[in-house]
Amino acid sequence: AAELEYESVLCVKPDVNVYRIPPRTSNRGYRASDWKLDHPDWTGRLRVTSKGKTAYIKLEDKVSGELFAQAPIDQYPGIAVETVTDSSRYFVIRIQDGTGRSAFIGIGFTDRGDAFDFNVSLQDHFKWVKQETEISKESQEADTRPKLDLGFKEGQTIKLNIGNMTTKKGGAAKPRVSGSGGLSLLPPPPGGKIAVPPIPPPSSAAIANHVTPPPVLKSTNVSSADILLDLDAPASASKAPASATTDLWGDFSTASSAVPNQAPQQSNWVQF
């Protein structure tokens, strides 16, 4: 796994000042005002790199890129990198060589934005390290848990009820007809007819008040009138001469007086 890890660059700052700091005599933090800020002990380039979960602060020469010192960092904030109490542009780092020796030196940036980028690059790296640690821990816990066997055993079956509908074998479910108000209405019987109420017969008073106009006779065709007289002899008594009729409808009073003189009809028929 160590061979597969590669080194990535997190931050590069071209100007950084290095200071020799006095040993800390008390538990209070470092103060940049105690250093000789006007006379830095070394000036060069700073690079922040990462390889796996470890970050490295490398101090290099500006021209040749030769390594001056480096500080491996396992956690941040921590003892490997500390901020001073009186400024945000100065830090104290712990540098180490290949033999295991270590020393504390102070570094400072001329621009406050460079100090901010340096701080953020370390925070982002160790935030990623924390997430990777949690993910790997969860995966290990998942591997140790007993796995559930959700497969079907031999001869095991399941039953599904779709839509909670029960129908008889060979037949389909009848549709349910719903009317207004949520009430179910039955369909009409086959071949049913609607009965028409009977019309009541006219009363005798209505028959007496009704006046039937006299029939209109054609005076120009005499032969037709004779034929009608031969077929219906009793109707000749009510026949009026053609010359006496000046109006096509005649007088209503005369017509009403002539109605009783007509021949009686059968009892089952009513003359209007």
Side-chain angles (χ1 to χ4, degrees), residues 37-221:
L37 299 179
D38 296 335
H39 300 84
D41 296 299
W42 184 84
T43 302
R45 179 181 66 188
L46 179 141
R47 281 198 312 142
V48 181
T49 62
S50 65
K51 189 174 182 180
K53 296 181 179 181
T54 305
Y56 296 90
I57 299 175
K58 295 184 177 183
L59 302 176
E60 301 171 346
D61 187 81
K62 290 182 180 181
V63 180
S64 63
E66 183 182 358
L67 181 64
F68 173 74
Q70 72 173 3
I73 305 171
D74 296 331
Q75 62 179 358
Y76 181 76
I79 193 174
V81 179
E82 297 182 41
T83 59
V84 297
T85 59
D86 57 348
S87 178
S88 61
R89 294 187 292 127
Y90 297 92
F91 301 87
V92 176
I93 63 175
R94 183 184 63 183
I95 58 175
Q96 293 179 351
D97 58 3
T99 60
R101 294 182 302 175
S102 61
F104 291 92
I105 62 174
I107 62 174
F109 300 93
T110 306
D111 189 0
R112 195 176 301 274
D114 292 343
F116 177 79
D117 295 340
F118 169 75
N119 190 15
V120 170
S121 63
L122 293 176
Q123 289 179 355
D124 291 343
H125 171 73
F126 286 100
K127 185 183 295 183
W128 170 81
V129 171
K130 183 179 180 181
Q131 293 177 353
E132 289 292 324
T133 304
E134 293 177 355
I135 292 173
S136 61
K137 184 178 180 180
E138 291 178 358
S139 61
Q140 290 177 0
E141 291 179 355
D143 294 338
T144 56
R145 295 174 186 172
K147 296 182 179 180
L148 297 177
D149 186 9
L150 302 178
F152 287 100
K153 305 299 186 295
E154 184 178 358
Q156 185 179 4
T157 59
I158 60 174
K159 183 178 180 181
L160 300 177
N161 294 327
I162 301 175
N164 297 328
M165 296 178 63
T166 56
T167 57
K168 294 182 179 179
K169 186 176 181 181
K174 296 182 179 180
R176 182 178 179 182
V177 181
S178 59
S180 61
L183 300 177
S184 60
L185 302 178
L186 296 177
K193 297 182 180 180
I194 299 176
V196 180
I199 300 175
S203 60
S204 59
I207 295 174
N209 294 331
H210 183 74
V211 178
T212 303
V216 178
L217 300 179
K218 295 181 181 179
S219 60
T220 58
N221 195 351

Side-chain angles (χ1 to χ4, degrees), residues 234-238 254-264:
S236 61
S238 61
T254 305
S256 60
S257 63
V259 172
N261 296 330
Q262 292 181 357

